[in-house]
Amino acid sequence: MIDLSEFQSISPYTDEEASVALGKLADHPLLSQFSSRFFPDESPDFLKLILKNIKTVDQFQELVMSRFVEWALTHTAKNFSYDGISNLDPQKRFLALSNHRDIILDPAITQLVLYKNGIPMTEIAVGDNLISSKEIEYLIRSNRMIKVIRGVSARELYLSSQMLSKYIRLNITNQRRSIWLAQRQGRTKDGFDTTEQGLLKMLDMSGTGDFQQNFEELNIIPMSISYEYEPCDILKARESVISRKHKYVKAEGEDFNSIVTGIMQQKGSIHMNIGTSLTSDEIAALVRLANSEVAYSAVPVTKNALPADVVARLDSVQADEVYGPYYNTTDDSYNAFRIISKIELPDSVQYRQIQVADADADRAQTLADSIYTAIKDQKGANFAEIAAKYGQSGEAVWFSTANFEG
């Protein structure tokens, strides 16, 4: 059992907290209207009675949320399909990294698919801008919603991102609970689903290895959902047009209106795809999307390769320690860095090589093995003489840190 007390401000409600919150929600004056709309075959007090008697989050998701999503699919979709469910191991936790087209339905449909296939439902990362009232907070945090802090200062954003990153990693690496996370802040408005660089950096903040190791242990499963008719299409188009002229400012209650419109609007056919866990090669390509000014390399570097503001603080930071955030007056920015490790090595090495090239990979490997054997067996052999047999000089060359530090 891991201690998650430090994440109380962002974590979903516990069973006990959800029971109390849903009990309060049951007394909302408009609840009977919602009940009659989404549960028409039941009495107007149906939803109130259920909420009053719910004791666990699982009960809420099974008795209320799953039926709500099924209602939405039945009444607003022509058909719904999905594939890739076999890519998920029910015994292994994962980070579902998904595109984002609808505020509520993207993660809600995902939960229904998991539930119907006997796979534990995930926690869901949601921006706190959606919590426009206490009642909405009761609802979404009882549905395993993780609060993602938005609209704060640069320093506060860094600290909240650090907390979110740590929370996600602890849940997955300790096999506690899988997490659903949109690949970007906010819904896609232009139809192009791309992963934000800032999200990748956030996920890496809590890691203790190199970038690739940090991503590999998250067991990232790409997911995508597509709608024949884009949810909130007219609202998204309006926002996109206005944004071309000036900064778009949301009106009060606009997010709630988008939630309702997304649920009630006709969507045609809906399809969800569940991908396979990202491979090491795919993760290496993913990390490169972060566009660091200095491309990541596992090769140790000297201070000469680092920015001056980092160099000035190196001596006060230990290996595997994060420094910052701090304000850098030079470029008017807040920065932070982590030292993966410190090691003492020669600043240069001398080497000799014999290059092997062949259009046939097997022949090239056989030739390389034979050259290696000849050098290894003939300990006193002249390297240059062996290199000359293959048309090369075999001369010794010095290689220093200056060759790759730029």
Side-chain angles (χ1 to χ4, degrees):
M1 182 70 70
I2 56 174
D3 181 11
L4 297 177
S5 57
E6 65 178 293
F7 308 104
Q8 189 172 5
S9 62
I10 66 169
S11 62
Y13 285 154
T14 63
D15 287 339
E16 294 77 10
E17 290 169 333
S19 180
V20 173
L22 294 173
K24 294 177 181 178
L25 190 62
D27 294 324
H28 195 282
L30 296 178
L31 192 67
S32 61
Q33 296 181 32
F34 282 96
S35 185
S36 297
R37 182 62 181 267
F38 297 114
F39 304 97
D41 298 330
E42 308 288 351
S43 69
D45 288 336
F46 172 73
L47 194 50
K48 178 177 182 177
L49 294 174
I50 285 185
L51 295 181
K52 284 288 188 181
N53 289 282
I54 281 178
K55 302 301 180 185
T56 68
V57 173
D58 284 338
Q59 280 184 320
F60 176 60
Q61 292 190 309
E62 293 168 10
L63 298 177
V64 179
M65 294 308 299
S66 64
R67 293 182 62 176
F68 160 73
V69 179
E70 287 179 330
W71 181 94
L73 292 176
T74 300
H75 291 83
T76 70
K78 184 167 63 178
N79 57 67
F80 170 64
S81 59
Y82 61 90
D83 64 81
I85 193 67
S86 60
N87 295 329
L88 301 179
D89 181 350
Q91 305 302 319
K92 191 173 183 180
R93 303 297 174 253
F94 57 88
L95 173 62
L97 195 58
S98 174
N99 67 334
H100 196 21
R101 297 302 183 91
D102 185 78
I103 296 174
I104 293 297
L105 289 181
D106 294 348
I109 291 174
T110 302
Q111 304 312 303
L112 181 65
V113 170
L114 297 178
Y115 172 62
K116 291 292 187 181
N117 287 274
I119 298 173
M121 289 180 276
T122 72
E123 292 185 359
I124 305 166
V126 175
D128 66 349
N129 56 297
L130 299 181
I131 304 177
S132 56
S133 69
K134 202 62 181 177
E135 288 77 17
I136 291 180
E137 182 167 13
Y138 291 157
L139 177 65
I140 67 174
R141 294 186 71 183
S142 295
N143 195 38
R144 291 202 171 97
M145 301 289 190
I146 307 165
K147 188 191 297 186
V148 180
I149 308 300
R150 302 256 175 87
V152 292
S153 68
R155 178 177 176 81
E156 290 173 319
L157 179 61
Y158 174 85
L159 295 175
S160 64
S161 296
Q162 195 172 47
M163 177 182 290
L164 177 62
S165 179
K166 185 178 179 181
Y167 180 80
I168 291 173
R169 190 172 300 276
L170 282 174
N171 269 275
I172 295 173
T173 57
N174 285 278
Q175 297 298 304
R176 177 184 174 272
R177 179 70 62 176
S178 297
I179 307 287
W180 183 96
L181 180 66
Q183 66 179 172
R184 49 168 291 142
Q185 177 178 319
R187 296 160 296 158
T188 300
K189 306 295 194 308
D190 55 10
F192 294 101
D193 298 314
T194 56
T195 301
E196 286 185 340
Q197 299 169 12
L199 180 138
L200 300 179
K201 294 175 182 178
M202 180 277 291
L203 291 174
D204 182 63
M205 291 173 76
S206 57
T208 58
D210 62 34
F211 293 149
Q212 185 152 336
Q213 292 170 336
N214 291 343
F215 279 97
E216 285 177 347
E217 70 177 9
L218 291 176
N219 188 27
I220 299 174
I221 303 287
M223 293 187 181
S224 64
I225 188 165
S226 58
Y227 301 84
E228 184 177 1
Y229 307 126
E230 185 80 3
C232 301
D233 47 3
I234 295 177
L235 298 177
K236 290 178 180 179
R238 176 180 176 274
E239 181 177 337
S240 296
V241 171
I242 294 175
S243 296
R244 293 173 185 172
K245 299 178 180 179
H246 53 78
K247 180 177 175 60
Y248 183 81
V249 179
K250 290 184 179 180
E252 184 178 352
E254 186 169 335
D255 284 327
F256 182 75
N257 181 49
S258 293
I259 290 174
V260 175
T261 302
I263 293 171
M264 304 303 296
Q265 183 181 1
Q266 291 297 313
K267 303 162 190 67
S269 296
I270 304 174
H271 182 76
M272 189 179 85
N273 171 261
I274 302 171
T276 57
S277 180
L278 291 184
T279 65
S280 297
D281 289 342
E282 289 171 329
I283 289 174
L286 179 71
V287 173
R288 283 193 288 272
L289 290 175
N291 281 351
S292 171
E293 292 181 2
V294 180
Y296 174 74
S297 170
V299 178
V301 297
T302 65
K303 293 181 179 180
N304 297 331
L306 303 174
D309 59 298
V310 174
V311 173
R313 296 165 171 83
L314 281 179
D315 291 338
S316 60
V317 186
Q318 302 301 313
D320 198 31
E321 181 181 345
V322 175
Y323 185 96
Y326 61 89
Y327 178 68
N328 183 24
T329 56
T330 304
D331 59 2
D332 189 31
S333 66
Y334 281 96
N335 302 300
F337 64 87
R338 177 165 62 89
I339 295 180
I340 296 175
S341 65
K342 291 183 178 182
I343 187 170
E344 291 186 8
L345 293 172
D347 67 352
S348 60
V349 295
Q350 190 179 52
Y351 72 98
R352 296 181 293 181
Q353 67 177 358
I354 299 174
Q355 295 179 316
V356 176
D358 196 295
D360 185 288
D362 291 335
R363 283 202 304 267
Q365 184 63 56
T366 299
L367 179 58
D369 290 342
S370 65
I371 294 174
Y372 174 76
T373 300
I375 296 173
K376 182 179 179 181
D377 293 345
Q378 301 176 39
K379 296 180 180 179
N382 188 308
F383 190 92
E385 291 178 1
I386 297 178
K389 294 180 180 180
Y390 300 97
Q392 299 176 48
S393 65
E395 63 179 324
V397 178
W398 283 99
F399 182 83
S400 70
T401 54
N403 293 103
F404 58 88
E405 289 181 352

